[in-house]
């Protein structure tokens, strides 16, 4: 559903235009970010930071001469850690901004964390497993709440030219 055009003065041309959206309404201000969306964004950013730290440790071990079976396989793994970390940072930032695609991306990331956290916990590393499972389950539950769904409804399209 598209919004009616906005005149150059910045006042909405229709009284049924939503208030608080970036293209009109309240002088370009958005409604405040819901607490649940902030929590999910913080969880994604924390996971991205953990992946970045793991990538740094992995790079240090690789450069310090730790034995590996395949050097280029280890470089590829390092590249995957860095790429996934950058992707999660992007998800956190754009979820905070309210973009629609971030809910699916955050859900996929949390499902990956669950696939690592459950075996970690059942193998005897209970604290490490809980450290992965509790934020992931919290983020999954919050992703389906009404405030997050309504906040993450912004599309990536540019504002109309006229």
């Amino acid at each position: 559903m598209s919004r009616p055009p906005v005149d150059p003065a910045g006042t909405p041309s229709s009284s049924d235009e939503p208030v608080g959206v970036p293209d009109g309404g309240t002088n370009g201000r958005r409604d405040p970010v819901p607490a649940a969306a902030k929590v999910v964004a913080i969880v994604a950013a924390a996971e991205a930071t953990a992946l970045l730290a793991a990538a740094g440790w992995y790079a240090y071990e690789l450069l310090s001469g730790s034995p590996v079976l395949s050097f280029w396989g280890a470089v590829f793994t390092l590249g995957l850690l860095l790429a996934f970390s950058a992707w999660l940072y992007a998800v956190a930032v754009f979820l905070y901004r309210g973009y629609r695609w971030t809910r699916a991306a955050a859900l996929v990331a949390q499902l990956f964390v669950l696939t690592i956290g459950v075996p970690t916990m059942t193998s005897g590393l209970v604290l490490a497993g809980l450290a992965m499972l509790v934020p992931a389950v919290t983020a999954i539950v919050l992703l389906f709440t009404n405030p997050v769904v309504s906040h993450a409804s912004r599309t990536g399209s540019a504002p109309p030219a006229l």
Side-chain angles (χ1 to χ4, degrees):
M1 185 184 276
S2 64
R3 287 179 272 179
V6 177
D7 68 6
T11 57
S13 62
S14 172
S15 62
D16 58 1
E17 183 168 334
V19 176
V21 293
D23 298 328
T26 58
N27 296 327
R29 293 181 307 191
R30 287 186 59 87
D31 293 333
V33 179
K38 288 179 185 177
V39 169
V40 176
I42 288 170
V43 167
E47 290 169 349
T49 303
L51 279 175
L52 194 60
W57 175 74
Y58 196 78
Y60 171 75
E61 290 294 322
L62 186 62
L63 293 174
S64 67
S66 293
V68 293
L69 293 175
S70 169
F71 176 76
W72 292 111
V75 169
F76 178 74
T77 303
L78 177 62
L80 283 178
L81 286 170
L82 291 172
F84 196 52
S85 176
W87 178 67
L88 269 176
Y89 277 127
V91 167
V93 167
F94 286 107
L95 178 67
Y96 186 81
R97 291 182 184 174
Y99 281 86
R100 181 176 298 169
W101 63 269
T102 57
R103 288 184 58 239
L107 178 63
V108 168
Q110 301 317 310
L111 292 176
F112 282 142
V113 172
L114 287 179
T115 61
I116 296 170
V118 170
T120 300
M121 194 167 111
T122 58
S123 69
L125 300 169
V126 176
L127 289 178
L130 285 175
M132 287 185 259
L133 290 177
V134 170
V137 169
T138 303
I140 288 172
V141 169
L142 291 177
L143 278 171
F144 293 101
T145 60
N146 284 335
V148 174
V149 171
S150 64
H151 172 70
S153 62
R154 181 175 168 192
T155 60
S157 61
L162 296 175

